[in-house]
C-alpha cells in the first residue's frame, strides 16, 4: 500500500508538471480522460496564468466562464491566432471578460483602442494592462480614470496613436509603478507635468521626445525619485538632450537608460559621462548625418562610464553599414584592387580620429582632430576595443534595420 500511494503521488506530480506545457484547449481535453486527470487539469497552479499563444478562441463566453471557474489572475493574449480581419471578435471579448472579476493582469494582442477603453470600465480591479499593438489611430483616456488600482500601463499603436483627451485622465493612478506611452502623436502638447505626480514610478517609457519642453528634465524627471529605468524614443532636432542628461545624473535610483533614435550632438560624450549612476545603457543613434561624429561621441561617453557600467548595447543600423561600405569601395580603395578584393560583410562604421581610448582608469580621452579625419572601424574591432576598455561590462553591438529600432531593449538584447 505504501508503494502504491508513493507511486500515485509521483504520477500525480509528474502529470502536473507535464500539464504546464499544454495549451488551454488541450488542458480541457485532458480533463475528460479520467477523474485523476480532471483533478490535475483543474489544479489552480495551471490556471493562475493563461497564455493563448498560437491558439484561436471560438467562444470568448466559454473562455470567460472557464477563467472565472478557475480563478485566473493573468491572461496573456499576445500572439493569439485571430480570424481574418479580427475586429469582429472584440465586442464578444469585451462583454465576456467583464465577469472574470479575479483578473488582475492582461496582455492584449492586436485590438482596437475601444477594447482597452471598455476593459478599464468593466474590470476596474486590473493592476496591469499591456496593450502595445493597438490597431486604430485614436484613443480616449477618459475611461481609464476607473483604474485606480493600476500598477502597470503600457499603450502603443502599430501605426501611431492620437489621443482625443489629455493625459490628465491618468492623474489619479497613484499606485502606478510602470508607465509606457510610446508612438503617441503630439505627446509634447499634452500636460506632461502629470507625469511628475507619479512619484511611485519605477520605470518610464516615452516616445516622440523631439519637442518636449526644456523643463522636462529639471521639473518633471527629477521629481521621480524612485525611478530605476528610463526609456526615451525619437529625441531629434530640438530635443533638449543635455537637459535630460543633467536630470538623469541627479536621479540616485536610476540605473537603466535607453535612448532610441536620438540625435547625438557635440558634447554628448561629456554629458553622458557625468551620469555615473547608470549601470545599464542602450543607445541607438539616428545616423542621419555626421555619423563619424556621432560614433565618436557615443564611444567617448560610454568609456567615461567605465567604473559603473555593467551592460551596454549599441544599436548600429544596417543603413549606416551599407553607406559606410559604399564609401570604402568608392573613396578609399584603389581601383586596381577592387577586382581582387575579397567579398566581405561590410560591417564597419566611421569614427572621428583619434578613436577614443582609455589606457588606464585615470586617463583622459583625447578630443577629435582638427580638421576632422575619419577612421573606418570594423565592428569586430569595435567590439574588441569596448571589451578591452570596459572589462567589467557586458557589451553587445546590434546590427538592425531602422524600422526595427523601436523594438530593441536591453532586456531582449542581453538575455
Amino acid at each position: 500500500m505504501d508503494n502504491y500511494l508513493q507511486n500515485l503521488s509521483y504520477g500525480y506530480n509528474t502529470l502536473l508538471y507535464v500539464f504546464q506545457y499544454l495549451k488551454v484547449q488541450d488542458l480541457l481535453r485532458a480533463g475528460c480522460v479520467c477523474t485523476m486527470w480532471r483533478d490535475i487539469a483543474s489544479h489552480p497552479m495551471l490556471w493562475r496564468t493563461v497564455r493563448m499563444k498560437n491558439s484561436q478562441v471560438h467562444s470568448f463566453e466559454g473562455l470567460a466562464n472557464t477563467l472565472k471557474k478557475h480563478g485566473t489572475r493573468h491572461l496573456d493574449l499576445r500572439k493569439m491566432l485571430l480570424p481574418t480581419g479580427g475586429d469582429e471578435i472584440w465586442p464578444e471579448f469585451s462583454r465576456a471578460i467583464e465577469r472574470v472579476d479575479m483578473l488582475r493582469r492582461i496582455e492584449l494582442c492586436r485590438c482596437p483602442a475601444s477594447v482597452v477603453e471598455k476593459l478599464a470600465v468593466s474590470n476596474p480591479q486590473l493592476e496591469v494592462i499591456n496593450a502595445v499593438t493597438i490597431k486604430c489611430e485614436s484613443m480616449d483616456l477618459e475611461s481609464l480614470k476607473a483604474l485606480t488600482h493600476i500598477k502597470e500601463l503600457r499603450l502603443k499603436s502599430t501605426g501611431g496613436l492620437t489621443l482625443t483627451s489629455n493625459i490628465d485622465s491618468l492623474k489619479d493612478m497613484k499606485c502606478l509603478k510602470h508607465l509606457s506611452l510610446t508612438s503617441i502623436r503630439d505627446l509634447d502638447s499634452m500636460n506632461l507635468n502629470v507625469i511628475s505626480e507619479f512619484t511611485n514610478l519605477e520605470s518610464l517609457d516615452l516616445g516622440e521626445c523631439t519637442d518636449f519642453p526644456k523643463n522636462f528634465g529639471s521639473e518633471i524627471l527629477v521629481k521621480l525619485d524612485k525611478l530605476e529605468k528610463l526609456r526615451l524614443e525619437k529625441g531629434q532636432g530640438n530635443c533638449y538632450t543635455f537637459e535630460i542628461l543633467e536630470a538623469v545624473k541627479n536621479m540616485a535610483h536610476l540605473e537603466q537608460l535607453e535612448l532610441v533614435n536620438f540625435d547625438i550632438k557635440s558634447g554628448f560624450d561629456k554629458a553622458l559621462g557625468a551620469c555615473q549612476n547608470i549601470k545599464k545603457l542602450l543607445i541607438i543613434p539616428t545616423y542621419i548625418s555626421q555619423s563619424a561624429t556621432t560614433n565618436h561621441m557615443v564611444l567617448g561617453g560610454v568609456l567615461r562610464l567605465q567604473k559603473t557600467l555593467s551592460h551596454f548595447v549599441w544599436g548600429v543600423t544596417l543603413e549606416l553599414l551599407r553607406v559606410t561600405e559604399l564609401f570604402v569601395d568608392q573613396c578609399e580603395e584603389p581601383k586596381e584592387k577592387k577586382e581582387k578584393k575579397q567579398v566581405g560583410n561590410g560591417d564597419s562604421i566611421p569614427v572621428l580620429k583619434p578613436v577614443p581610448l582609455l589606457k588606464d582608469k585615470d586617463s583622459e580621452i583625447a578630443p577629435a582632430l582638427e580638421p576632422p579625419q575619419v577612421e573606418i572601424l570594423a565592428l569586430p574591432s569595435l567590439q574588441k576595443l569596448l571589451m578591452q576598455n570596459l572589462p567589467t561590462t557586458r557589451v553587445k553591438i546590434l546590427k538592425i534595420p531602422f524600422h526595427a529600432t523601436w523594438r530593441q531593449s536591453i532586456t531582449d538584447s542581453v538575455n
Side-chain angles (χ1 to χ4, degrees):
M1 178 60 71
D2 290 342
N3 290 338
Y4 172 77
L5 293 176
Q6 187 180 58
N7 291 337
L8 187 65
S9 175
Y10 287 161
Y12 184 95
N13 290 329
T14 301
L15 280 173
L16 182 60
Y17 181 81
V18 172
F19 279 17
Q20 294 180 49
Y21 294 90
L22 297 182
K23 298 179 182 179
V24 171
Q25 57 267 42
D26 295 329
L27 197 60
L28 294 173
R29 292 190 185 102
C32 298
V33 172
C34 64
T35 302
M36 181 180 178
W37 279 41
R38 182 196 64 196
D39 292 343
I40 297 174
S42 300
H43 196 285
M45 184 183 73
L46 301 177
W47 291 93
R48 190 176 298 115
T49 296
V50 172
R51 294 184 171 88
M52 302 303 298
K53 180 180 179 180
N54 297 329
S55 300
Q56 186 169 348
V57 178
H58 297 283
S59 171
F60 277 112
E61 293 289 338
L63 177 63
N65 291 335
T66 303
L67 298 180
K68 183 175 177 62
K69 175 184 175 182
H70 295 289
T72 298
R73 298 179 66 85
H74 177 195
L75 177 61
D76 189 347
L77 301 180
R78 291 176 296 181
K79 298 185 179 181
M80 180 180 71
L81 300 180
L82 299 174
T84 304
D87 291 346
E88 65 275 8
I89 69 171
W90 294 113
E92 181 191 355
F93 168 81
S94 296
R95 290 191 300 270
I97 202 66
E98 180 177 0
R99 68 174 66 100
V100 190
D101 50 11
M102 291 293 293
L103 201 61
R104 294 295 180 270
R105 179 186 182 105
I106 187 167
E107 265 101 13
L108 295 165
C109 63
R110 302 178 301 278
C111 65
S114 59
V115 174
V116 182
E117 297 165 4
K118 293 176 182 177
L119 192 62
V121 176
S122 64
N123 298 70
Q125 75 282 355
L126 281 169
E127 297 177 358
V128 176
I129 295 181
N130 188 346
V132 296
T133 52
I134 296 175
K135 290 175 63 176
C136 58
E137 296 184 354
S138 65
M139 183 176 184
D140 187 357
L141 298 182
E142 280 296 310
S143 58
L144 273 60
K145 287 181 177 180
L147 298 169
T148 54
H149 302 290
I150 195 80
K151 295 180 180 178
E152 180 176 334
L153 178 64
R154 302 183 186 277
L155 302 176
K156 182 178 181 179
S157 169
T158 54
L161 193 64
T162 299
L163 299 181
T164 58
S165 60
N166 209 308
I167 61 174
D168 290 352
S169 305
L170 309 180
K171 64 182 179 181
D172 292 329
M173 297 181 178
K174 303 302 182 183
C175 300
L176 204 58
K177 291 186 177 181
H178 308 280
L179 176 64
S180 178
L181 300 173
T182 53
S183 78
I184 294 179
R185 302 188 187 102
D186 301 320
L187 185 60
D188 57 282
S189 65
M190 303 287 175
N191 181 19
L192 294 176
N193 288 314
V194 172
I195 295 175
S196 66
E197 299 179 19
F198 302 139
T199 53
N200 290 315
L201 272 186
E202 296 175 6
S203 74
L204 175 64
D205 300 355
L206 295 175
E208 308 298 327
C209 299
T210 296
D211 294 316
F212 275 15
K214 189 174 183 179
N215 67 349
F216 174 73
S218 60
E219 297 184 13
I220 298 176
L221 278 183
V222 292
K223 293 182 180 180
L224 307 177
D225 52 12
K226 294 183 181 180
L227 200 66
E228 299 174 1
K229 172 186 173 293
L230 175 64
R231 177 186 175 93
L232 300 175
E233 299 178 358
K234 198 175 181 181
Q236 302 169 4
N238 298 322
C239 181
Y240 293 100
T241 305
F242 296 135
E243 286 76 6
I244 291 173
L245 292 177
E246 180 67 23
V248 164
K249 78 174 185 179
N250 295 318
M251 300 173 71
H253 291 91
L254 187 62
E255 296 184 348
Q256 180 170 323
L257 177 64
E258 301 183 7
L259 301 176
V260 179
N261 289 323
F262 258 66
D263 286 350
I264 306 301
K265 305 169 185 177
S266 180
F268 176 86
D269 52 346
K270 294 182 179 179
L272 179 63
C275 301
Q276 294 294 315
N277 51 321
I278 298 301
K279 295 181 180 179
K280 297 181 179 181
L281 177 65
L282 165 69
I283 296 182
I284 304 181
T286 50
Y287 290 124
I288 295 175
S289 63
Q290 299 182 338
S291 300
T293 302
T294 293
N295 293 326
H296 189 276
M297 290 289 123
V298 171
L299 192 51
V302 169
L303 294 183
R304 286 176 167 84
L305 299 177
Q306 181 190 43
K307 298 178 181 179
T308 60
L309 212 56
S310 63
H311 295 77
F312 173 52
V313 180
W314 186 345
V316 178
T317 62
L318 298 183
E319 289 80 359
L320 173 67
L321 298 178
R322 294 192 189 102
V323 169
T324 305
E325 183 179 21
L326 185 63
F327 171 78
V328 171
D329 287 344
Q330 294 184 349
C331 302
E332 292 204 344
E333 292 195 357
K335 292 182 179 180
E336 60 270 19
K337 291 185 178 181
K338 285 188 178 181
E339 296 180 358
K340 299 180 181 180
K341 172 189 153 183
Q342 294 182 350
V343 178
N345 56 13
D347 291 348
S348 300
I349 62 172
V351 183
L352 287 183
K353 292 182 178 180
V355 176
L357 293 172
L358 279 176
K359 296 181 180 179
D360 57 70
K361 63 181 181 180
D362 298 318
S363 64
E364 290 292 327
I365 298 176
L369 297 176
E370 289 291 345
Q373 299 178 30
V374 176
E375 179 169 335
I376 303 300
L377 192 63
L379 292 189
S381 300
L382 176 62
Q383 178 87 18
K384 183 177 180 181
L385 184 152
L386 287 168
M387 293 178 66
Q388 289 175 343
N389 287 270
L390 303 171
T392 61
T393 304
R394 188 173 179 180
V395 176
K396 184 167 185 178
I397 299 175
L398 285 177
K399 298 186 295 181
I400 45 177
F402 174 76
H403 66 81
T405 53
W406 318 101
R407 297 197 294 268
Q408 310 305 316
S409 69
I410 292 178
T411 303
D412 295 335
S413 300
V414 299
N415 292 333

